[in-house]
Amino acid sequence: MSSYCDFAPGHPVHVHYHAREYGFPQRAEPELFERLVLEINQAGLSWETILRKRDGFRRAYHGFDVDTVAAYGEADVARLLADAGIIRNRLKVRAAIHNANVIRGLRDSHGGFAQWLDAHHPRDKAGWVKLFKQTFRFTGGEITGEFLMSLGYLPGAHRADCPVLADIVARNPPWTRGS
């Protein structure tokens, strides 16, 4: 069976994401929000499609500024649904706006999105999926698992023999720390 580590290193679209982002721990709110929005938008599509549209997403969602997206109204929804630079799916657009509001609330309850993730770590994938479904919109098992793997909260982003894995482990991602 082929894995991301088999084809991404030499691929013109996937090479940077594979070697510098996928599985690497992140803490900044815009980066966490971006990854959540991208994973939600990938549902039913290829990751390559999402990476090719990434700049369009950044422009359309104002650099993934949580406060700006949380304040989006119907005119913004219409703007996003008309933007060919992103995935134009009403449920995904509304999920991004809803989830931005949830993240704003996590600032009050936990100090921020990263702190909320830390407060619930460690969990197995099933525990994370249950928590995400209770907290966010459009976050099923695959979306939640990929989101957490992409940020180092769950292992599995890279094969054991992938050279990128050593770089990730050196950065002490949450999955290496346990409880």
Side-chain angles (χ1 to χ4, degrees), residues 61-93:
Y61 285 96
H62 293 93
F64 295 101
D65 180 80
V66 168
D67 293 316
T68 302
V69 175
Y72 281 0
E74 289 307 313
D76 294 295
V77 171
R79 173 184 57 81
L80 292 167
L81 292 175
D83 189 337
I86 65 168
I87 305 304
R88 295 174 290 181
N89 177 298
R90 186 174 303 277
L91 293 175
K92 292 175 181 183
V93 166

Side-chain angles (χ1 to χ4, degrees), residues 161-172:
D161 65 342
C162 180
V164 175
L165 185 61
D167 193 14
I168 292 170
V169 170
R171 295 167 194 252
N172 197 29

Side-chain angles (χ1 to χ4, degrees), residues 99-135:
N99 293 341
N101 279 287
V102 170
I103 292 168
R104 285 180 59 177
L106 296 177
R107 293 177 190 158
D108 294 334
S109 65
H110 290 81
F113 195 5
Q115 292 80 1
W116 179 82
L117 290 165
D118 292 344
H120 293 288
H121 174 75
R123 287 177 186 253
D124 63 7
K125 182 179 173 183
W128 280 114
V129 169
K130 182 178 179 182
L131 178 66
F132 266 67
K133 283 184 174 186
Q134 292 169 343
T135 309

Side-chain angles (χ1 to χ4, degrees), residues 14 16 39 48 74 133:
H14 294 276
H16 176 82
E39 291 294 348
E48 184 171 335
E74 289 307 313
K133 283 184 174 186

Side-chain angles (χ1 to χ4, degrees), residues 38 41-42 46-54 87:
L38 295 180
N41 277 276
Q42 188 273 327
S46 73
W47 190 242
E48 184 171 335
T49 297
I50 300 304
L51 290 177
R52 287 186 185 277
K53 289 184 174 275
R54 193 175 194 182
I87 305 304

